[in-house]
Amino acid sequence: MAAGKPKKKNPRLASGRKRARQNVALNAANTSLRSKYRTSVKNVEKAVLAGDKTKATAAFAIMQSVVDSIADKGIFHKNKAARDKARLSVKVKALAQAAA
């Protein structure tokens, strides 16, 4: 038996072929945006763990705009974006309180 996914058949209709082409491009774009989202969240978490208050607040400001724009596009659900922002906001504020 062959392991892995079965080979996909080529669509017969022109509309199906076009949809397959579009799916490749959309998948690449969505993957890139998902990566950008996760990277911005990780940058804030790294700054918080390092204890760098100024870097954490700057990264958090950038992360908020990235998260909002990607949630608006529907890559991630709006509630997930809000949840991530809220959790990181608590960490950044705790870091600011500890430094003060």
Side-chain angles (χ1 to χ4, degrees):
M1 291 290 201
K5 290 193 234 178
K7 188 173 186 243
K8 291 191 177 182
K9 295 181 180 176
N10 290 331
R12 291 181 183 212
L13 297 177
S15 60
R17 289 194 299 268
K18 181 178 179 182
R19 175 48 65 191
R21 286 194 311 270
Q22 287 175 328
N23 285 343
V24 171
L26 288 170
N27 188 6
N30 290 346
T31 301
S32 173
L33 289 172
R34 233 179 281 120
S35 175
K36 186 176 180 182
Y37 181 103
R38 291 177 179 146
T39 301
S40 66
V41 169
K42 284 178 189 174
N43 287 341
V44 176
E45 289 175 344
K46 283 180 188 175
V48 168
L49 284 175
D52 191 350
K53 179 183 143 190
T54 56
K55 194 173 181 181
T57 53
F60 182 73
I62 294 168
M63 186 272 303
Q64 280 183 308
S65 65
V66 169
V67 165
D68 285 335
S69 68
I70 291 174
D72 287 341
K73 292 175 184 171
I75 307 300
F76 283 110
H77 197 275
K78 287 184 185 290
N79 289 2
K80 176 183 169 38
R83 183 176 66 239
D84 286 348
K85 286 194 307 184
R87 287 178 180 170
L88 287 173
S89 173
V90 167
K91 289 181 182 179
V92 170
K93 285 180 183 176
L95 184 67
Q97 293 294 328

